[in-house]
Amino acid sequence: MKIVIAPDSFKGTLSAADAAQAIARGLRQVWPAAELCLHPMADGGEGTLAAIAAAVPADWRQAEVHDLAGQLRQVRWLQLPDGAAVLESAEVVGLGLAGDCPVPRRSSLGLGELLLQVLDAGCRRVLIGLGGTGSNDGGAGLLAAVGAELLDKDGERVTPDLAGLADLASLSLAHLDPRLAETRLQVWADVASPLAGPMGATATFGPQKGVQADEVARYDGWLARLGLLGDQLRGQDLRLKPGSGAAGGLGWALRVLSADMVPGAEAIALLQRLDASLADADYLITGEGRSDLQTPLGKLPWRLAAMAQEAGVPAVLLSGEVVSEAQPQLAERFAHRLSLAGEGVSSQYAQQHAATLLAERAAAWAAAHRR
């Protein structure tokens, strides 16, 4: 037997690496001689650096940058064997780092500072994972860090955060760091939202970051104006493209810097050479904390199942919870769908004992499919 184990993290419960190890323990109870290929996965959000480091020989680096609230903190990034840098936005401006800083005062400045430091290190290919962020500033902070000028009607610089956009009257990209022109930026994101509008960054993700319902329209208008100013300079409607609303608008800001955007799960799978592991595999086992109607819209397990389907490999979904209403759609790509919660196991118990339950569910599934 050859089994590819490629879960996402179980948010707040298990890292992708820990989830993969737990599944492997269960399978070995039944198939001790099986070839198990572990690929801890991520889609560009939280856990991206760890997922890559677990599968690719890379060097950990450190930098000191400003966090969401403007406080200095140590953050990590990876340098790949070919010299490329990998940055994780959640490592710098993750929602969990927001503390009591109000949304209008959270800035993506630190991610721009980190970008400059990897340029200082000589990196000219930079891969940036977006997701799990607490900022909603349209990337204003990042742009300011790399040399953009965001000015009010009097020609004074506005603060590089969401609140500053209230006074934004003009934008200049004339003084961007010149090294960006010779740097290839690639953004990893699995969000289809444009920068602004009813499906934009603020309307879609603002509430989970703390944006109140009566503030959505006002903040959305500020991001729309920023987007229009930047797009006029670039001569493109970048703000309207799917993914520009990723990470509070960081997707748009990085496109202004000429970044390419690709699906995060597929990019990381490529780095990990998941396609090679799938060759001649008997099964792919993937999973996440909760599989619901959002999963078929392009979440990591769904994308990996598509890759397995192309390789002729049956896919198994093993998640913390699989909601019943999503079963018909999930059945289109997953031959088996297993849940830790349910059948007398509460969601809370499943979270507290996720590693043990993953091993048990994997062993039970393997026993049922012993050849």
Side-chain angles (χ1 to χ4, degrees):
M1 296 291 289
K2 178 182 179 183
I3 314 294
V4 178
I5 304 171
D8 197 354
S9 62
F10 285 47
K11 281 190 178 177
T13 304
L14 289 175
S15 69
D18 288 340
Q21 290 288 351
I23 294 169
R25 285 196 299 274
L27 295 181
R28 288 194 181 102
Q29 293 174 27
V30 180
W31 293 320
E35 179 184 355
L36 304 182
C37 302
L38 275 60
H39 287 268
M41 290 296 298
D43 60 6
E46 187 175 356
T48 291
L49 296 180
I52 293 172
V56 177
D59 294 325
W60 286 99
R61 307 293 189 201
Q62 282 199 326
E64 187 175 62
V65 300
H66 290 91
D67 64 13
L68 285 171
Q71 301 299 310
L72 286 173
R73 62 177 282 112
Q74 291 289 323
V75 300
R76 303 173 303 164
W77 59 282
L78 284 176
Q79 189 160 20
L80 301 181
D82 65 359
V86 184
L87 316 185
E88 179 184 314
S89 62
E91 175 83 7
V92 185
V93 292
L95 181 57
L97 305 174
D100 58 3
C101 182
V103 178
R105 287 303 177 190
R106 298 177 196 166
S107 174
S108 60
L109 180 76
L111 187 61
E113 293 174 332
L114 182 56
L115 177 55
L116 291 181
Q117 291 190 45
V118 303
L119 294 181
D120 291 342
C123 300
R124 292 298 179 267
R125 187 165 76 96
V126 184
L127 314 173
I128 305 174
L130 298 185
T133 62
S135 58
N136 194 78
D137 66 352
L142 178 143
L143 290 174
V146 299
E149 295 179 312
L150 294 90
L151 308 173
D152 63 17
K153 60 182 178 59
D154 297 319
E156 300 294 328
R157 293 178 186 267
V158 303
T159 56
D161 53 24
L162 177 60
L165 297 182
D167 298 319
L168 182 66
S170 66
L171 172 67
S172 172
L173 303 176
H175 302 293
L176 291 178
D177 191 302
R179 295 173 296 179
L180 290 169
E182 57 190 43
T183 301
R184 181 185 170 196
L185 300 176
Q186 186 180 87
V187 176
W188 298 340
D190 285 309
V191 167
S193 297
L195 177 62
M199 300 298 293
T202 308
T204 305
F205 304 106
Q208 69 191 44
K209 298 179 181 184
V211 176
Q212 301 301 308
D214 60 353
E215 298 171 329
V216 169
R218 183 162 53 116
Y219 295 167
D220 182 71
W222 296 348
L223 262 61
R225 180 168 55 197
L226 171 66
L228 181 60
L229 290 171
D231 286 1
Q232 287 173 341
L233 293 174
R234 288 302 189 210
Q236 302 178 65
D237 289 329
L238 300 174
R239 68 192 186 284
L240 306 179
K241 288 190 173 185
S244 286
L250 277 168
W252 171 82
L254 286 161
R255 276 180 162 148
V256 167
L257 300 180
S258 301
D260 295 320
M261 184 174 291
V262 300
E266 293 163 17
I268 293 171
L270 182 64
L271 265 181
Q272 293 194 4
R273 298 206 61 205
L274 183 68
D275 55 342
S277 293
L278 284 171
D280 301 322
D282 292 284
Y283 290 99
L284 163 75
I285 299 180
T286 184
E288 59 190 341
R290 174 185 167 91
S291 295
D292 52 26
L293 291 171
Q294 295 295 314
T295 299
L297 297 180
K299 291 178 70 177
L300 185 146
W302 188 258
R303 292 182 181 274
L304 297 192
M307 293 179 64
Q309 197 171 54
E310 290 179 8
V313 177
V316 178
L317 181 68
L318 176 50
S319 294
E321 183 177 3
V322 180
V323 302
S324 58
E325 57 263 37
Q327 286 281 2
Q329 287 177 270
L330 294 173
E332 295 175 12
R333 282 194 179 168
F334 295 100
H336 307 281
R337 299 159 304 283
L338 313 173
S339 175
L340 305 188
E343 298 182 3
V345 177
S346 68
S347 296
Q348 182 178 8
Y349 184 89
Q351 289 180 336
Q352 293 172 343
H353 301 86
T356 300
L357 290 173
L358 274 173
E360 290 177 357
R361 296 287 190 274
W365 172 82
H369 294 83
R370 184 187 282 116
R371 295 178 180 174

